[in-house]
Amino acid sequence: MRNASEDEVLECFWQGEIAESSRWNAAEVEERERAWRERVGLFAGFPDDVEWKLVTLTRDEVLAIRYINWDWWLKVTKGTRLATVAAEVQGRDEGDRAIAAAAAANPELIAVTDPERSRLVLVEGHVRLTAYAAFPDLLPSELEIYLGVSPRASEWCQW
């Protein structure tokens, strides 16, 4: 585990958003960058006191990360916000297999939590997390992710 700067985390975020496996285009990523700076939209209520770290999680800890609180993720996870449920609902395909097989080389997932680590909520990496849940046997036993900690995490609209 080591400290990480917000700039480092954001660089990873934007790289993940424009990766081949992402569904976002350059204009949408620019809009997300603006939303981050202004703490609106997806980032409404996102705390400004987050302490970022690069941490190592076990496979089970990774698969316990919750998706954001969006209608789509609630629907596809039957309200659980868990990638393991989404993988069952959506099914598995070769694209998921390829993403999962490259887990160690993929951009790090980004999640946020409170000091008690009551839950980890994904900020970026939903497609990758779904692929990891679809093919958990391809996920390394440990995976590095960026984890932000804030006592105000629950103020985020996606918490």
Side-chain angles (χ1 to χ4, degrees):
M1 179 170 71
R2 68 167 177 80
N3 292 331
S5 70
E6 183 172 285
D7 287 342
E8 177 183 346
V9 173
L10 288 177
E11 178 63 26
C12 180
F13 189 111
W14 309 135
Q15 290 304 310
E17 293 287 282
I18 62 172
E20 190 173 314
S21 61
S22 176
R23 66 185 193 105
W24 307 111
N25 64 39
E28 291 167 323
V29 172
E30 280 186 32
E31 174 56 24
R32 284 180 172 233
E33 290 176 1
R34 183 195 64 75
W36 174 269
R37 286 189 308 273
E38 297 176 11
R39 297 299 203 260
V40 297
L42 172 67
F43 302 109
F46 196 89
D48 58 6
D49 62 349
V50 176
E51 292 183 20
W52 293 102
K53 297 189 180 304
L54 184 65
V55 301
T56 302
L57 299 184
T58 66
R59 179 183 297 130
D60 288 343
E61 289 173 320
V62 170
L63 296 178
I65 296 172
R66 295 183 189 196
Y67 291 129
I68 57 176
N69 190 25
W70 258 2
D71 291 345
W72 164 252
W73 295 114
L74 291 170
K75 178 181 175 183
V76 78
T77 65
K78 300 179 181 179
T80 67
R81 295 170 56 190
L82 294 172
T84 52
V85 176
E88 291 298 322
V89 170
Q90 291 182 293
R92 297 159 172 83
D93 62 29
E94 288 307 306
D96 288 333
R97 181 185 297 279
I99 293 167
N106 289 339
E108 290 83 357
L109 299 174
I110 302 172
V112 68
T113 191
D114 55 19
E116 296 78 31
R117 284 180 84 163
S118 64
R119 70 174 89 162
L120 277 63
V121 178
L122 198 61
V123 178
E124 198 285 324
H126 292 74
V127 170
R128 294 188 305 283
L129 182 59
T130 304
Y132 301 163
F135 293 95
D137 54 315
L138 298 178
L139 193 59
S141 60
E142 295 185 328
L143 191 69
E144 286 189 338
I145 78 159
Y146 285 107
L147 183 61
V149 179
S150 169
R152 297 176 38 232
S154 65
E155 296 175 16
W156 181 32
C157 67
Q158 301 303 322
W159 179 256

